[in-house]
């Protein structure tokens, strides 16, 4: 006899209450999980932004939060304590100190691969939408805020012979080889990377190998010049360095990613970047931020007008034109305008009240004097 639905079979059995989750809470949990998986996948398979060095008061959070390539200049500006046009909605950078800012920021862009084998304890974040970018906005901010000082601004791409220098950089890096012909001459001199680094499968007779080694030589020369001019860290103005390296991209195009040349070039570049970061941190007494952006290829080509290393950046224009207004002009204008209006109204009201004041009744001085006269 089948008694499945009989009440006698469920008598005395206590059923556990079923707790149903809020649908909104479940949706938020699913969304967070999806974004975490996307960030993890993009960190493994995509380009990356790695922070090699940062001072204690500039905190990068641990996590796989992707950042867009076009937001990298804003990130550099925030690490240097500057304001940006739009808020950077990226949780990787924590709020910093209001009374301390880094003395320098160095950003190196490496084209040709999506990541380098840095130590695991270094903060690294996925890079999405790898569009070409420059630090021109940050350089303009440094020039505007510290016009009376002598900041060092160096933006260099040796493979494309693009150069921009400002301030003390014209003096410090005057002897830095910047064109390919100058760098090739530097490689033939004593103390070059051809004699100090284990090339193994790389050849000094191959054009792609020489381009890569030329960029490595530039990093070594910049480190040597910074060690020679340690007084740069004592200047009140922050310094900015931006380098774009494309030699590894030529190695990939010539040999492929499975070749021993690519493996040796990656090993050399990784150790060179770590040494460069250590040298910059030592010169600025651990008050510098060093980031490395690795990208396989940019989505669009980038062209930029070059400047000579001997060109003085503070020369006036041909027509003696003033500097362009920055985005803070409207804020400053409104502050000054309304402050003048309030002060003018205050002067008018005070003057009117003083003009119509009765000294015998409104002034305590005349009132006390009048009473004293009456008593006498």
């Amino acid at each position: 006899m089948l008694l499945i639905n009989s009440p006698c079979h469920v008598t005395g059995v206590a059923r556990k209450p079923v707790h149903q989750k809020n649908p909104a809470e479940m949706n938020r949990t699913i969304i967070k999980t999806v974004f975490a998986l996307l960030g993890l996948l993009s960190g493994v398979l995509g380009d990356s932004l790695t922070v090699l060095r940062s001072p204690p008061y500039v905190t990068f959070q641990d996590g796989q939060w992707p950042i867009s390539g076009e937001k990298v200049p804003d990130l550099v500006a925030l690490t240097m304590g500057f304001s940006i046009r739009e808020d950077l909605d990226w949780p990787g950078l924590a709020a910093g100190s209001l009374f301390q800012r880094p003395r320098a920021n160095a950003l190196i862009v490496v084209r040709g691969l999506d990541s380098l084998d840095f130590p695991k304890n270094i903060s690294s974040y996925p890079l999405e939408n790898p569009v070409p970018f420059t630090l021109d906005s940050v350089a303009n901010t440094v020039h505007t805020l510290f016009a009376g000082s002598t900041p060092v601004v160096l933006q260099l791409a040796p493979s494309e012979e693009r150069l921009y220098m400002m301030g003390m950089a014209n003096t410090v890096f005057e002897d830095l080889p910047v064109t390919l012909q100058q760098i090739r001459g530097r490689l033939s001199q004593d103390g070059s990377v051809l004699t100090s680094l284990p090339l193994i499968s790389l050849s000094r007779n191959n054009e792609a190998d020489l381009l890569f080694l030329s960029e490595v030589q530039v990093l070594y020369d910049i480190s040597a010049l910074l060690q020679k001019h340690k007084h740069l860290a004592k200047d009140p103005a922050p310094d900015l360095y931006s380098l774009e390296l494309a030699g590894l991209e030529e190695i990939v195009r010539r040999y492929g990613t499975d070749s021993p040349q690519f493996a040796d070039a990656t090993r050399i570049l990784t150790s060179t970047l770590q040494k460069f970061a250590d040298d910059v941190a030592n010169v600025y007494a651990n008050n510098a931020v060093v980031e490395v952006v690795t990208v396989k290829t940019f989505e669009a080509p980038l062209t930029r007008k070059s400047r000579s290393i001997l060109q003085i950046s503070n020369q006036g224009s041909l027509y003696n034109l003033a500097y362009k207004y920055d985005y803070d002009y409207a804020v400053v204008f409104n502050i000054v305008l309304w402050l003048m209006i309030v002060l003018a109204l205050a002067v008018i009201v005070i003057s009117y009240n003083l003009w119509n004041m009765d000294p015998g009744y409104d002034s305590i001085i005349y009132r006390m004097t009048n009473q004293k006269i009456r008593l006498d």
Side-chain angles (χ1 to χ4, degrees):
M1 187 174 182
L2 208 57
L3 298 175
I4 295 179
N5 296 328
S6 175
C8 63
H9 290 275
V10 296
T11 302
V13 179
R15 293 186 178 180
K16 294 183 180 180
V18 179
H19 297 281
Q20 294 184 353
K21 290 185 177 181
N22 189 4
E25 182 181 355
M26 294 178 62
N27 291 335
R28 286 194 296 267
T29 304
I30 294 174
I31 292 175
K32 289 182 180 180
T33 305
V34 170
F35 273 105
L37 291 176
L38 290 177
L40 182 61
L41 290 176
S42 58
V44 175
L45 302 177
D47 306 322
S48 62
L49 167 69
T50 305
V51 183
L52 292 183
R53 295 291 183 275
S54 63
Y57 47 85
V58 179
T59 305
F60 287 89
Q61 306 285 354
D62 294 334
Q64 291 293 327
W65 295 290
I67 182 172
S68 177
E70 59 187 6
K71 295 297 183 180
V72 173
D74 292 342
L75 176 62
V76 174
L78 288 177
T79 58
M80 300 184 71
F82 301 147
S83 59
I84 56 179
R85 296 173 182 264
E86 299 178 359
D87 293 337
L88 181 63
D89 189 13
W90 186 64
L93 180 63
S97 174
L98 296 176
F99 306 101
Q100 289 180 303
R101 69 171 65 198
R103 308 297 311 139
N105 190 296
L107 176 68
I108 302 98
V109 178
V110 179
R111 291 158 45 185
L113 79 170
D114 50 14
S115 63
L116 288 170
D117 190 15
F118 291 118
K120 300 300 181 182
N121 57 347
I122 293 179
S123 300
S124 183
Y125 307 96
L127 183 71
E128 61 182 11
N129 190 22
V131 296
F133 61 86
T134 63
L135 300 184
D136 292 345
S137 59
V138 185
N140 293 333
T141 302
V142 173
H143 177 71
T144 303
L145 297 179
F146 301 92
S149 303
T150 54
V152 176
V153 177
L154 172 65
Q155 295 178 266
L156 177 63
S159 61
E160 301 177 6
E161 297 187 353
R162 288 192 285 110
L163 173 67
Y164 173 70
M165 306 181 71
M166 186 181 71
M168 285 293 294
N170 293 285
T171 303
V172 175
F173 300 107
E174 183 178 4
D175 298 330
L176 180 69
V178 292
T179 64
L180 293 179
Q181 184 177 2
Q182 293 174 349
I183 300 175
R184 299 291 170 81
R186 174 68 181 89
L187 288 175
S188 61
Q189 298 175 3
D190 295 336
S192 66
V193 296
L194 294 181
T195 57
S196 60
L197 293 179
L199 303 182
I200 308 178
S201 62
L202 298 176
S203 173
R204 63 183 66 191
N205 299 321
N206 190 282
E207 190 70 22
D209 300 2
L210 279 179
L211 177 60
F212 170 77
L213 295 174
S214 299
E215 294 178 343
V216 174
Q217 183 66 57
V218 170
L219 290 176
Y220 271 83
D221 290 342
I222 293 177
S223 298
L225 291 174
L226 289 178
Q227 295 289 341
K228 184 179 178 181
H229 298 84
K230 291 187 177 182
H231 62 277
L232 297 176
K234 301 178 181 180
D235 192 275
D239 301 331
L240 179 66
Y241 305 91
S242 175
L243 304 173
E244 184 176 340
L245 310 180
L248 198 60
E249 190 176 31
E250 294 297 326
I251 294 289
V252 174
R253 187 179 293 112
R254 177 66 183 270
Y255 302 107
T257 56
D258 297 330
S259 61
Q261 290 84 355
F262 176 77
D264 294 336
T266 304
R267 174 181 49 80
I268 291 175
L269 183 60
T270 302
S271 61
T272 302
L273 290 176
Q274 290 179 335
K275 178 184 179 302
F276 179 80
D278 292 337
D279 293 341
V280 172
N282 291 333
V283 170
Y284 290 94
N286 200 24
N287 288 316
V289 181
V290 182
E291 307 102 337
V292 175
V293 173
T294 53
V295 55
K296 258 191 173 180
T297 179
F298 283 119
E299 295 182 355
L302 176 65
T303 57
R304 188 171 185 271
K305 186 178 179 180
S306 303
R307 295 188 181 184
S308 172
I309 192 172
L310 300 178
Q311 182 179 357
I312 301 177
S313 60
N314 56 2
Q315 288 182 345
S317 61
L318 181 61
Y319 303 102
N320 195 23
L321 300 178
Y323 292 108
K324 294 182 179 180
Y325 295 133
D326 60 358
Y327 58 91
D328 290 332
Y329 172 76
V331 178
V332 177
F333 177 80
N334 278 274
I335 293 176
V336 175
L337 174 64
W338 292 108
L339 182 61
M340 292 176 60
I341 292 176
V342 170
L343 291 178
L345 292 176
V347 170
I348 293 174
V349 172
I350 294 173
S351 301
Y352 177 80
N353 290 325
L354 289 175
W355 182 264
N356 295 280
M357 185 179 66
D358 187 354
Y361 293 97
D362 297 335
S363 175
I364 189 173
I365 299 176
Y366 288 100
R367 187 182 306 164
M368 295 296 294
T369 306
N370 193 16
Q371 292 177 358
K372 186 177 181 181
I373 293 175
R374 289 179 180 179
L375 292 176
D376 293 339

